[in-house]
Amino acid sequence: MSALIDKVKKLAVGFDEQTLKSIEIEPLIIEAGAVHGVAPYLREKGYRHVIVAADAITYEIAGKEIETAAKALGISAHGTIIKPDRQGDVIADEASIVQLLLDIQQQGTEVVVAAGSGTIHDISRYAAYTARIPFVSVPTAPSVDGFNSKGAPIIIRGEKKTIAAIGPAAIFADLEILTAAPARMIAAGFGDMLGKYTSLLDWSFGAAEGGEPYSEQVAEITRLALDKCMEHVEAIARRDQEGIRILIEALIESGLAMLMLGQSHSASGSEHHLSHYWEMEYIRLGRRQLLHGAKVGVACAEISKLYHRLAAEEAGLSFAANPVKVREAIAALPEEQTIRSWLRAAGGPSTTEELGVDAELLARSLREAHHVRPNRYTLLRAYNMK
Ligand SMILES: [Zn+2]
């Protein structure tokens, strides 16, 4: 078993066998050249009809090679290049999902290999789940923590919904490919990790005051992954194999924590709701999409700013049942400016201006973003509903 899963399992005290079994991903390979293991894996598993799902760019980076290698082993492999929308973005919407589903049906596909970043994974995850076949993860950038999650955030008629689907049967994370990913995508993965500062705060608050389910172990696994990232900001910023290994491991660990809980609380709080709100607005306006993690990182700074402001005001937290405890939690949350400086160090946008989100949208999202996930209790929700 992978050392990473082993480590997570050791922290998962009190979880039943079935849950521990559910986070097993075999194999989970994180090394240079991992992509060469995909075709032999497919043959070993006895798959004869395989689809490699990618976008035009990730097909060139990894998809084509996997398809060629699979064919050389006698596997009928088909590359599905997901088409971009009118703005030129590949998004996980109904059109992309149906495009892949049609190919799956026509090819008699037994497994989908997702060769790409988060969006290709979400499309593949949901299409494979719908077709009742497994999918294999080949991330091409360390840009999100959703590679190994079960939930597929998809866009239906312009609305973002997270639908329970399946996690990958195997992961091949090739450090050569990941290290060569665009700097902005690496910075986005770092931003998605930074978002755990606020998601973990929102989660402990939601559990204490809003009846949300909670697991100290899942929170701890996420916190350790975040801490490891923060101890290696410089290596991540250098984008060498050591830094990229730390980042992708942290992202996968955060994904494993979500798998264990069966929900995304540990990794997705009000900063994600802000990010999703901006995303839906951009779709409505027909604007080019921003990277998920780039939005999450900046949103984390904005949420930190708001929470610290509330904590500083005499009656700022009077809506909370236990304002003393909430104030304590906020005191441990990095300040807005600290978060922005980390984002800058990693080479990503650190402000809404740099991101391209205007002041009106920011203000509106801070008032309304909790509606994106109406059944999740966060500090932002409690504040807005007071
Ligand atoms: Zn995220």
Side-chain angles (χ1 to χ4, degrees):
M1 194 192 307
S2 126
L4 198 138
I5 291 188
D6 224 23
K7 185 177 111 191
V8 167
K9 277 191 170 180
K10 285 211 179 79
L11 292 164
V13 184
F15 277 81
D16 60 41
E17 275 303 308
Q18 203 187 341
T19 307
L20 294 180
K21 192 111 197 85
S22 75
I23 66 163
E24 277 177 18
I25 296 168
E26 185 66 37
L28 195 178
I29 298 174
I30 303 172
E31 63 188 30
V35 72
H36 306 304
V38 178
Y41 164 83
L42 297 171
R43 187 179 59 179
E44 191 193 307
K45 286 282 172 187
Y47 293 123
R48 286 163 302 128
H49 298 278
V50 173
I51 278 186
V52 181
D55 62 36
I57 295 167
T58 63
Y59 182 73
E60 292 302 322
I61 293 168
K64 194 199 274 179
E65 181 183 333
I66 295 166
E67 189 187 331
T68 308
K71 281 177 177 160
L73 294 177
I75 298 165
S76 156
H78 174 87
T80 294
I81 297 178
I82 305 295
K83 293 200 177 86
D85 67 3
R86 247 179 282 166
Q87 282 71 45
D89 294 314
V90 170
I91 59 173
D93 65 355
E94 51 271 72
S96 300
I97 291 162
V98 170
Q99 186 197 339
L100 181 53
L101 269 176
L102 283 177
D103 277 2
I104 288 173
Q105 288 167 349
Q106 283 167 3
Q107 307 289 327
T109 305
E110 296 155 334
V111 63
V112 174
V113 177
S117 63
T119 304
I120 290 296
H121 276 70
D122 292 332
I123 296 164
S124 300
R125 179 194 323 281
Y126 189 68
Y129 166 74
T130 306
R132 297 174 192 275
I133 58 175
F135 90 98
V136 171
S137 160
V138 183
T140 53
S143 53
V144 285
D145 69 351
F147 295 118
N148 56 335
S149 80
K150 250 194 190 107
I154 56 178
I155 299 192
I156 301 294
R157 295 193 186 278
E159 294 285 325
K160 184 128 182 158
K161 292 195 164 70
T162 300
I163 298 176
I166 47 169
I171 297 181
F172 295 85
D174 191 322
L175 288 177
E176 274 169 31
I177 291 175
L178 297 173
T179 306
R184 61 190 194 96
M185 299 192 83
I186 296 169
F190 179 72
D192 207 18
M193 279 313 297
L194 268 188
K196 310 313 168 217
Y197 278 119
T198 42
S199 63
L200 286 170
L201 187 152
D202 273 330
W203 190 23
S204 65
F205 171 76
E209 301 206 2
E212 294 284 359
Y214 195 74
S215 157
E216 189 46 60
Q217 289 81 10
V218 168
E220 185 63 9
I221 292 164
T222 310
R223 202 172 294 124
L224 288 173
L226 170 60
D227 289 348
K228 196 169 67 176
C229 250
M230 302 319 295
E231 284 159 18
H232 295 89
V233 176
E234 282 177 25
I236 293 168
R238 274 198 309 271
R239 302 197 296 275
D240 57 18
Q241 282 200 9
E242 187 213 349
I244 297 304
R245 171 189 289 281
I246 285 161
L247 178 57
I248 190 76
E249 284 185 357
L251 292 166
I252 290 174
E253 282 164 9
S254 171
L256 288 172
M258 281 190 269
L259 273 182
M260 275 176 57
L261 189 72
Q263 299 185 68
S264 64
H265 294 75
S266 51
S268 169
S270 49
E271 76 297 323
H272 270 72
H273 304 155
L274 225 57
S275 162
H276 294 335
Y277 190 97
W278 299 343
E279 182 176 346
M280 293 191 320
E281 177 82 357
Y282 271 42
I283 290 171
R284 262 192 294 277
L285 298 174
R287 290 182 64 177
R288 289 296 305 259
Q289 279 303 326
L290 305 166
L291 288 172
H292 168 78
K295 285 180 291 208
V296 169
V298 171
C300 175
E302 295 299 340
I303 293 291
S304 167
K305 180 181 175 183
L306 172 68
Y307 287 3
H308 276 288
R309 198 195 82 209
L310 295 178
E313 288 168 7
E314 175 95 38
L317 293 164
S318 55
F319 58 88
N322 189 344
V324 175
K325 200 172 160 222
V326 178
R327 201 165 262 122
E328 257 174 44
I330 294 172
L333 176 70
E335 300 267 354
E336 167 208 358
Q337 289 306 340
T338 311
I339 293 170
R340 296 197 201 280
S341 71
W342 284 327
L343 290 169
R344 267 195 301 277
S350 64
T351 62
T352 46
E353 291 83 24
E354 285 168 26
L355 199 58
V357 167
D358 65 40
E360 188 278 329
L361 176 57
L362 171 61
R364 178 154 46 91
S365 64
L366 283 167
R367 286 192 310 271
E368 295 181 354
H370 60 284
H371 295 305
V372 169
R373 196 81 191 243
N375 50 3
R376 184 153 300 176
Y377 202 79
T378 61
L379 189 58
L380 181 65
R381 156 173 293 264
Y383 167 64
N384 278 320
M385 303 289 275
K386 73 180 186 293

